Amino acid sequence: MNHKGTQWIETERLQLRPFGLEDAEAMYRNWASDAEVTKFLTWKPYESVEESRKTIEDWYGKREEKEFYQWAVVYKEAGEPVGSVSATRVDNDTESVTIGYCIGRAWWGKGITVEALKALIAFFFEEVGVHCMNACHDPRNPNSGKVMKKCGMAYEGTWRAGGINNQGICDESWYSILKEEYCRRKRIFGYDVWNWLYEKAASVQNGRTVSPFIDAGGVAAAVLTKKGNVYTGICIDATSGLGMCGERNAIGNMLTNGEHQIDKVVAVMPDGKTGPPCGACREAMMQLDENSGEIEILLDLDTKKTVRLKELMPNWWGHERFKD
């Protein structure tokens, strides 16, 4: 690996930069003193700005070390650090990096952690030459796991009683992403993904009469998985009512190939327009994964108007079952 230390990284809304001694007050005020923020972390909430200052002094002393990675997450709108993100472990033998992050409560739900983690995934794979990036969270803190999933990380498993935090001995749910997976996703999303998926669906659309009882191919669908693979399917309309929609046909192909997490869906209608899935398809997709509500569905190709599956299924009955 080509270690570079804590480099300045800028995204649309954030600056990721080394901590400075002047950040102590913001660190204490914005997150380090909040017991709710540190609830599932390994360090106790700070009782004074002086504690923040001592921590930053330690980090500042390591700022020239090439294998030291500790960023202040500066939200441009706030004009100061609102959290931190770091490489908590660097393993040169396996060429892997473990990431940890912490964001102030006032900035939860804004996608800041996702934006920061995506930037670091790109930095470590493209600049440092890491082979694998991983992270873990306490299962009682599921929102942290959602961040990892949104960044393309795959769930590896839960290490029972594998860690300890401010709640005591705890389970650790681990996620990871490999360099080849990142590169494949980057190639895909470097294109106009909606036009590309539309073309994939349209390529298998071939409306025809199969028998006096069955028509097929009037509607075609393409699903893009979290791993960056595409599966297609066509509708099968049967007189008996035992047919299948294109979306569920594509989902069947996906499941046959060992995947179950969908990122995007496109369905092409007989008139060439796109539209949302029927109720049966929505229900099937929602049951695939606890985060299926985030599946993005194309409504109109020209305007690129989309909708999240959860918006089509408010108050879905099955959410509590995923917590069992």
Side-chain angles (χ1 to χ4, degrees):
M1 295 190 289
N2 181 26
H3 288 294
K4 297 190 174 184
T6 309
Q7 300 290 310
W8 280 69
I9 301 171
E10 187 160 348
T11 68
E12 181 180 354
R13 299 182 298 162
L14 308 175
Q15 285 181 340
L16 306 181
R17 61 163 175 79
F19 275 90
L21 300 178
E22 70 281 1
D23 294 323
E25 197 279 330
M27 177 182 178
Y28 175 76
R29 170 169 38 85
N30 289 337
W31 74 92
S33 61
D34 190 337
E36 188 64 25
V37 171
T38 62
K39 183 176 181 179
F40 297 105
L41 300 182
T42 57
W43 47 275
K44 299 291 184 181
Y46 289 178
E47 296 183 356
S48 68
V49 175
E50 185 60 29
E51 287 189 71
S52 295
R53 185 173 292 108
K54 288 181 179 178
T55 296
I56 292 177
E57 286 176 351
D58 177 61
W59 293 341
Y60 191 76
K62 299 176 181 177
R63 66 190 185 282
E64 301 298 332
E65 296 181 14
K66 294 298 184 181
E67 293 189 25
F68 178 71
Y69 299 100
Q70 178 75 55
W71 285 270
V73 179
V74 178
Y75 187 39
K76 294 178 183 178
E77 187 176 301
E80 62 183 6
V82 300
S84 67
V85 60
S86 66
T88 61
R89 182 172 183 267
V90 175
D91 191 323
N92 289 298
D93 292 330
T94 61
E95 298 183 344
S96 65
V97 168
T98 301
I99 296 294
Y101 43 78
C102 178
I103 300 294
R105 195 182 346 173
W107 294 273
W108 289 357
K110 296 180 181 293
I112 291 175
T113 314
V114 172
E115 189 171 331
L117 182 55
K118 283 183 176 180
L120 290 192
I121 287 174
F123 168 75
F124 277 111
F125 282 139
E126 296 181 17
E127 301 294 331
V128 181
V130 165
H131 175 69
C132 174
M133 292 185 65
N134 54 56
C136 70
H137 71 95
D138 187 318
R140 292 169 293 184
N141 184 23
N143 287 334
S144 184
K146 290 178 182 179
V147 169
M148 300 168 196
K149 289 182 180 180
K150 288 178 180 179
C151 292
M153 288 184 161
Y155 172 65
E156 299 285 2
T158 296
W159 184 8
R160 294 181 297 172
I164 188 167
N165 59 30
N166 287 330
Q167 302 305 302
I169 296 174
C170 65
D171 294 347
E172 290 182 343
S173 293
W174 282 88
Y175 292 77
S176 70
I177 182 171
L178 301 178
K179 185 174 184 178
E180 55 263 34
E181 294 170 341
Y182 165 77
C183 291
R184 182 168 64 244
R185 287 177 62 84
K186 184 178 179 182
R187 286 196 299 271
I188 289 172
F189 289 104
Y191 299 104
D192 182 337
V193 66
W194 292 117
N195 278 312
W196 180 64
L197 288 176
Y198 181 95
E199 291 171 2
K200 288 286 187 180
S203 69
V204 298
Q205 187 179 31
N206 183 16
R208 59 201 182 277
T209 297
V210 176
S211 75
F213 308 103
I214 292 179
D215 290 328
V219 175
V223 299
L224 174 66
T225 69
K226 293 290 188 181
K227 290 185 177 181
N229 297 313
V230 177
Y231 300 95
T232 58
I234 60 170
C235 70
I236 302 171
D237 299 315
T239 303
S240 69
L242 297 178
M244 181 178 292
C245 296
E247 294 94 328
R248 275 178 286 154
N249 203 336
I251 290 169
N253 286 331
M254 174 189 69
L255 293 171
T256 299
N257 284 275
E259 295 191 62
H260 72 281
Q261 293 181 318
I262 299 175
D263 188 77
K264 291 176 170 54
V265 176
V266 171
V268 181
M269 307 303 167
D271 61 2
K273 295 182 179 180
T274 59
C278 71
C281 290
R282 298 178 195 183
E283 183 65 47
M285 286 191 285
M286 282 295 284
Q287 295 183 48
L288 287 171
D289 180 77
E290 63 178 338
N291 293 305
S292 288
E294 299 298 327
I295 293 173
E296 193 174 12
I297 299 164
L298 181 66
L299 296 181
D300 182 76
L301 182 64
D302 293 332
T303 63
K304 301 299 188 296
K305 182 179 180 181
T306 65
V307 66
R308 298 285 180 181
L309 181 58
K310 63 185 179 184
E311 297 174 58
L312 299 177
M313 300 193 70
N315 303 315
W316 180 60
W317 64 272
H319 283 305
E320 293 300 319
R321 293 294 299 276
F322 278 117
K323 299 179 181 178
D324 293 344

